[in-house]
Structures are given as C-alpha cells and as structure tokens.
C-alpha cells in the first residue's frame, strides 16, 4: 500500500512564528521527497526537495528528513500571511509506475498565518 | 526557461459529452509528462504519464485516455464524460531527477 499521510489542519500560527508541517510515508525504499505549496484555486508549486537524511535549508524554509522513521517535515520560519496555503508532501515511490518511479502526494495541510 | 501551458482554464460540460484538454511545454526537450486530477477534498491522483512520443502509461482505469502526438504536447481525452470526472486537471513535466515535477496552471472541469 502506497501512502503519504499529512495532518489536514488547518494549522494556524501567528505572523512571525515557526510553522511546522509533517508527513509520513509507507515505503522504506523511497529516496526523494518534495514539498509543494498550493494557493487556493491555483496549481501546486515546488518549494523544496530533499534526498538525504538531515536538514536542508532554503531561505525561510527548512526540510527535514528521517528515513529510519519514514518522516519528513517542513519548517517555515518567520511565517508571513502570504505563506497561507495548502502544503503538499510528495514522495517518490520507486516501484510505482515507470523506471524512475512516480510521486504519491499527501492530501495536504492547510496553513493559516494570522497577522 | 521552461514554461508549461494548459487550456482551457475552465470548462463546463454536460454528462456524456466528449473532452479534450491540451498541455504543451516550452524550453525543454524530451520531458516526462503527467496528467493528474485533484477532486474536491481529495489528493492529487496520477492519471497518466509519458516518457516519450506515443508512450503512455495509465495508473487508474477509467473512461479517460491520453495521447502524446509530439515531444512537448500531451492531450487528455474522453469520449463520454461522467459526473465523477469533475475536478481540477493538472499537467506536469519533469526531466532529470526523479520526482522533481513542475505543474501547469490547470483546467477546472465541471461536469453537469
């Protein structure tokens, strides 16, 4: 069973706080992990990807990966009202579809940043 | 830089009517192409993917079909729409690293 689980939220944080978004996945063989941001009515936008255990930082965003626990997270520091969106976790499952595998998406966590 | 186009942006169709959605990618060669559907309250569901011209793989059995007549063109079709076909249809492309996919603006389809 190929599964990517996220808390649907909504997650509400005050402006300037750290938002923490979490994701678990079912396939121990997965090697690549992605975070997409989706504003209401718009298409998903890739914001981060991570392949190795540990942290990866890009501006106010930090992706964290723990393959042993099958857990990936996204931290947003100094949250802004413009960060209010649904955040989708996507995991590449190697045995799903083509030779490079395909993505399975979680249902997303809705983040609301209050001014 | 790469750009992905989808049209139409919105579509309202009656049950039983045909469907044709088009996706084109600019600025890259031999991309992998994908069709997803996002229904209300549900996650992104992979419908079809293609690694080259004329090569289509289906992930979900349904009344939809896909074709790739040119390297950077991907078409989603149906002969007879069902109410359950309503949703937000997204085309995506990737090259290189597995899974690094970029989405088009989408087509919002309502079947009445």
């Amino acid at each position: 069973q190929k599964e990517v689980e996220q808390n649907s939220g909504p997650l509400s944080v005050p402006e300037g706080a750290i938002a923490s978004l979490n994701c678990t996945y079912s396939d121990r063989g997965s090697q690549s992990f992605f975070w997409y941001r989706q504003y209401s009515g718009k298409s998903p936008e890739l914001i981060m990807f991570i392949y190795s255990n540990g942290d990866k930082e890009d501006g106010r965003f930090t992706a964290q990966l723990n393959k042993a626990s099958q857990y990936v997270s996204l931290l947003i520091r100094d949250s802004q009202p413009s960060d209010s969106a649904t955040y989708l976790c996507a995991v590449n499952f190697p045995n799903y579809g083509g030779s490079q595998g395909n993505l399975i998406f979680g249902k997303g966590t809705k983040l609301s940043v209050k001014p | 830089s790469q750009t992905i186009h989808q049209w139409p942006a919105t579509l309202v169709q009656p049950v039983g009517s045909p469907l044709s959605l088009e996706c084109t990618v600019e600025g890259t060669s031999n991309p992998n192409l994908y069709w997803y559907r996002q229904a209300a309250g549900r996650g992104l569901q992979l419908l079809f993917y293609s690694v080259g011209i004329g090569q289509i793989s289906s992930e979900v059995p349904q009344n939809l079909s896909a074709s790739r007549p040119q390297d950077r063109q991907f078409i989603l079709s149906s002969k007879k729409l069902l109410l359950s076909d309503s949703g937000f249809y997204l085309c995506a492309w990737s090259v290189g690293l597995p899974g690094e996919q970029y989405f088009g603006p989408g087509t919002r389809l309502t079947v009445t």
Side-chain angles (χ1 to χ4, degrees):
Chain A
Q1 187 78 0
K2 297 177 279 290
E3 293 183 335
V4 176
E5 300 286 345
Q6 295 182 257
N7 188 323
S8 62
L11 174 65
S12 184
V13 300
E15 184 174 356
I18 296 176
S20 178
L21 305 163
N22 305 313
C23 172
T24 59
Y25 58 95
S26 61
D27 189 342
R28 285 191 173 275
S30 294
Q31 297 294 323
S32 49
F33 308 86
F34 305 83
W35 284 100
Y36 287 81
R37 177 176 62 200
Q38 187 173 23
Y39 292 113
S40 180
K42 302 296 185 182
S43 61
E45 173 192 10
L46 179 64
I47 56 172
M48 289 284 290
F49 56 85
I50 186 167
Y51 298 95
S52 304
N53 276 329
D55 295 358
K56 178 183 179 182
E57 187 175 317
D58 183 2
R60 295 186 295 112
F61 298 97
T62 299
Q64 299 176 316
L65 175 61
N66 184 325
K67 291 184 181 179
S69 300
Q70 295 174 233
Y71 178 92
V72 59
S73 64
L74 179 70
L75 301 179
I76 306 175
R77 291 183 301 281
D78 188 24
S79 295
Q80 301 297 309
S82 59
D83 294 325
S84 298
T86 297
Y87 289 80
L88 306 176
C89 173
V91 178
N92 185 278
F93 282 71
N95 298 315
Y96 176 44
S99 60
Q100 294 184 327
N102 276 314
L103 293 183
I104 298 287
F105 285 80
K107 292 184 179 180
T109 297
K110 187 172 184 178
L111 173 66
S112 178
V113 181
K114 304 295 185 183
Chain B
S1 64
Q2 299 86 0
T3 308
I4 180 169
H5 304 279
Q6 284 187 249
W7 63 91
T10 59
L11 193 58
V12 180
Q13 293 284 93
V15 169
S17 64
L19 174 74
S20 181
L21 303 180
E22 190 164 341
C23 168
T24 59
V25 181
E26 296 177 357
T28 186
S29 297
N30 197 30
N32 296 326
L33 296 174
Y34 309 83
W35 279 112
Y36 289 87
R37 177 171 59 203
Q38 189 175 39
R42 301 185 65 180
L44 277 168
Q45 180 185 36
L46 179 63
L47 302 175
F48 300 94
Y49 66 94
S50 171
V51 298
I53 296 174
Q55 301 178 64
I56 309 294
S57 296
S58 172
E59 287 302 314
V60 181
Q62 62 227 315
N63 66 321
L64 300 172
S65 61
S67 62
R68 185 169 176 175
Q70 299 179 44
D71 181 45
R72 288 167 285 181
Q73 184 185 29
F74 206 20
I75 298 171
L76 182 70
S77 304
S78 174
K79 292 182 179 178
K80 288 186 177 182
L81 284 169
L82 306 173
L83 283 174
S84 57
D85 291 325
S86 292
F88 192 32
Y89 286 81
L90 292 155
C91 180
W93 67 273
S94 72
V95 293
L97 296 172
E100 193 173 333
Q101 297 180 18
Y102 298 89
F103 286 87
T107 295
R108 196 163 301 278
L109 171 67
T110 303
V111 182
T112 60

